[in-house]
Amino acid sequence: MLRIVSSRDREAVEQLLRGRADRLDEAERVVEPIIRAVRERGDDALYEYARRLDGLSDESVRVPPRRIAEARAGLAPDLADAVSFASERIRAYAERQMPLEWMEAAGPGIELGQLVRPLAAVGAYIPGGRYPLPSTIMMTAVPALVAGVERIAVASPRPSAETLGTAALLDLDEVYAIGGAQAIAALAFGTQSVPKVDRIVGPGNAYVAAAKKLLAGETGIDFVAGPTEIVLVFDEGDPHALASDMLAQAEHDVDAAAILLTPSRGLAEAVARQVALQMRTLPTREVAARAIRDNSAAVVTDSLAEACELSDRIAPEHLAISESVPLEQVRHAGSVFVGEWSPEAAGDYVAGPNHVLPTGGSARLRGGLSVLDYVKIVSVQKLTEAGLAKLAPAATALARAEGLEAHARSIESRTGAPGELPRA
């Protein structure tokens, strides 16, 4: 049953908020020796763990192109159409996000600008646990394709036919049947079988998250993601629809969280009843029931404004809000769904924005995965003699204030100022 608590019950609310903090310490202890082994022994360690933990039975961790092509041929027509439809929407949204190159005058003799360059290689981690997630291939690979990334390596333990078929539809042929910390380590360090990548993206379990955290710096990562979560802020709405949104999140994982924040006790009670009613016929109720019982609640607030404040404290991965909530009040969220006709499940698949999102409060720091994760902005400056002369007095003063005389002289050697170095 969904708990109903008052926002005035500070202890209950704080416990609910604390419950969303990632606890990766134990997972880090488990993955550290795996990472060390792959670093030191490369393929020998990778294959050892892949056979033990991923059930690898093939001679190679790389999925043969023939198997990928067969998976594409075996996709149900409606699924193949859905992948094409969703991919085009994700592509269009990523194209709109793509930063522009520019070069413009910033004063006489001064031109400034930026180049936009793709990363050379990225690794897309696709979970292969309780549910196959072909949608995650689209969310991680399509923005990379838009960015112009030349090499996209997909890693997924026990990849399903749906996952492989989706890869084929996106013309991805570098797929590895590996998962967990061993996959992250192989992508980060590179082995004989798995060349190194520049950045690893995509969701995963606690061990994947812990490995990404430990290897950040060795390679780029998107973010460290924990259990999935949704916060709903509504003063009124259809209890049936809101309950279904909470259960849609809860069925992901026993550690998932679904939290309703509302100033209406009547709405909270109606949603709680609907959650219990819908749970009876939900095929995934064994998972969803634990997530609802252990991590979820309906919090009755004194006002809609207080509900928004609590939501910002949580900084949720997914935030569903009533149309009565001004978007200007939303500060911290991975992705926002406005009104009861904008279910989070639509965003998971076909709306266009990415579903790989920060969790556990990380939305205070950044938004979800985007095309920006696959490019780098390279600054450009072009000065003429007159332009450098304009900048020189301030630049040399700052250089000498920092004790960097050669910096000052490098400017004055061009401008003919007193500090110019003698010429041969």
Side-chain angles (χ1 to χ4, degrees), residues 192-319:
Q192 186 177 358
S193 297
V194 184
K196 177 183 173 65
V197 299
D198 298 316
R199 170 167 283 176
I200 301 171
V201 301
N205 61 21
Y207 302 107
V208 169
K212 287 171 70 176
K213 179 182 177 182
L214 292 174
L215 288 167
E218 182 72 38
T219 187
I221 67 168
D222 45 6
F223 39 78
V224 177
T228 190
E229 62 206 15
I230 188 171
V231 166
L232 303 95
V233 178
F234 281 81
D235 50 354
E236 59 181 11
D238 178 2
H240 183 274
L242 297 180
S244 67
D245 288 345
M246 297 182 79
L247 288 171
Q249 208 61 35
E251 72 177 350
H252 271 290
D253 190 272
V254 295
D255 293 321
I259 300 171
L260 171 66
L261 305 174
T262 177
S264 169
R265 176 166 286 275
L267 180 61
E269 292 173 346
V271 169
R273 288 193 296 270
Q274 276 294 322
V275 166
L277 183 64
Q278 293 180 34
M279 189 90 72
R280 297 176 187 172
T281 58
L282 190 66
T284 53
R285 61 183 174 274
E286 183 177 349
V287 172
R290 287 182 58 186
I292 290 294
R293 181 194 67 200
D294 297 339
N295 313 311
S296 307
V299 180
V300 180
T301 62
D302 289 340
S303 65
L304 191 60
E306 185 191 19
C308 292
E309 291 171 6
L310 278 176
S311 173
D312 268 346
R313 288 183 60 192
I314 297 170
E317 176 188 16
H318 306 93
L319 173 61

Side-chain angles (χ1 to χ4, degrees), residues 93-122:
Y93 191 82
E95 288 173 345
R96 182 68 179 84
Q97 290 180 319
M98 190 72 176
L100 298 177
E101 292 192 357
W102 54 271
M103 196 80 180
E104 62 184 35
I110 304 171
E111 287 185 76
L112 304 178
Q114 68 178 26
L115 305 176
V116 180
R117 296 291 183 263
L119 302 182
V122 299

Side-chain angles (χ1 to χ4, degrees), residues 25-357:
D25 290 349
E26 179 58 33
E28 287 181 22
R29 284 192 288 272
V30 172
V31 304
E32 278 178 332
I34 298 175
I35 292 171
R36 185 168 57 252
V38 175
R39 181 200 292 269
E40 295 173 354
R41 298 194 289 116
D43 263 3
D44 288 344
L46 174 61
Y47 276 80
E48 175 186 321
Y49 286 112
R51 292 190 175 103
R52 185 197 311 172
L53 302 177
D54 299 325
L56 179 72
S57 57
D58 294 339
E59 292 185 1
S60 173
V61 293
R62 184 159 179 174
V63 178
R66 172 185 51 77
R67 184 178 165 199
I68 297 174
E70 290 172 351
R72 163 64 185 94
L75 283 183
D78 60 340
L79 177 56
D81 289 345
V83 168
S84 297
F85 177 78
S87 295
E88 284 308 307
R89 296 192 60 82
I90 297 164
R91 177 181 295 275
Y93 191 82
E95 288 173 345
R96 182 68 179 84
Q97 290 180 319
M98 190 72 176
L100 298 177
E101 292 192 357
W102 54 271
M103 196 80 180
E104 62 184 35
I110 304 171
E111 287 185 76
L112 304 178
Q114 68 178 26
L115 305 176
V116 180
R117 296 291 183 263
L119 302 182
V122 299
Y125 188 88
I126 313 301
R130 184 176 288 111
Y131 312 113
L133 295 176
S135 59
T136 301
I137 288 195
M138 294 185 283
M139 294 293 180
T140 53
V142 171
L145 294 168
V146 170
V149 175
E150 293 181 4
R151 176 177 160 244
I152 302 171
V154 176
S156 182
R158 303 180 182 86
S160 67
E162 294 85 355
T163 295
L164 294 177
T166 299
L169 285 172
L170 297 176
D171 293 325
L172 304 176
D173 60 7
E174 187 180 345
V175 181
Y176 300 96
I178 51 176
Q182 59 274 18
I184 303 301
L187 291 168
F189 300 130
T191 73
Q192 186 177 358
S193 297
V194 184
K196 177 183 173 65
V197 299
D198 298 316
R199 170 167 283 176
I200 301 171
V201 301
N205 61 21
Y207 302 107
V208 169
K212 287 171 70 176
K213 179 182 177 182
L214 292 174
L215 288 167
E218 182 72 38
T219 187
I221 67 168
D222 45 6
F223 39 78
V224 177
T228 190
E229 62 206 15
I230 188 171
V231 166
L232 303 95
V233 178
F234 281 81
D235 50 354
E236 59 181 11
D238 178 2
H240 183 274
L242 297 180
S244 67
D245 288 345
M246 297 182 79
L247 288 171
Q249 208 61 35
E251 72 177 350
H252 271 290
D253 190 272
V254 295
D255 293 321
I259 300 171
L260 171 66
L261 305 174
T262 177
S264 169
R265 176 166 286 275
L267 180 61
E269 292 173 346
V271 169
R273 288 193 296 270
Q274 276 294 322
V275 166
L277 183 64
Q278 293 180 34
M279 189 90 72
R280 297 176 187 172
T281 58
L282 190 66
T284 53
R285 61 183 174 274
E286 183 177 349
V287 172
R290 287 182 58 186
I292 290 294
R293 181 194 67 200
D294 297 339
N295 313 311
S296 307
V299 180
V300 180
T301 62
D302 289 340
S303 65
L304 191 60
E306 185 191 19
C308 292
E309 291 171 6
L310 278 176
S311 173
D312 268 346
R313 288 183 60 192
I314 297 170
E317 176 188 16
H318 306 93
L319 173 61
I321 59 174
S322 166
E323 291 191 50
S324 58
V325 176
L327 279 172
E328 293 76 13
Q329 289 190 14
V330 176
R331 296 181 60 207
H332 305 306
S335 191
V336 182
F337 305 83
V338 182
E340 58 185 306
W341 291 100
S342 306
E344 180 263 321
D348 269 352
Y349 299 114
V350 295
N354 213 286
H355 79 199
V356 180
L357 301 167

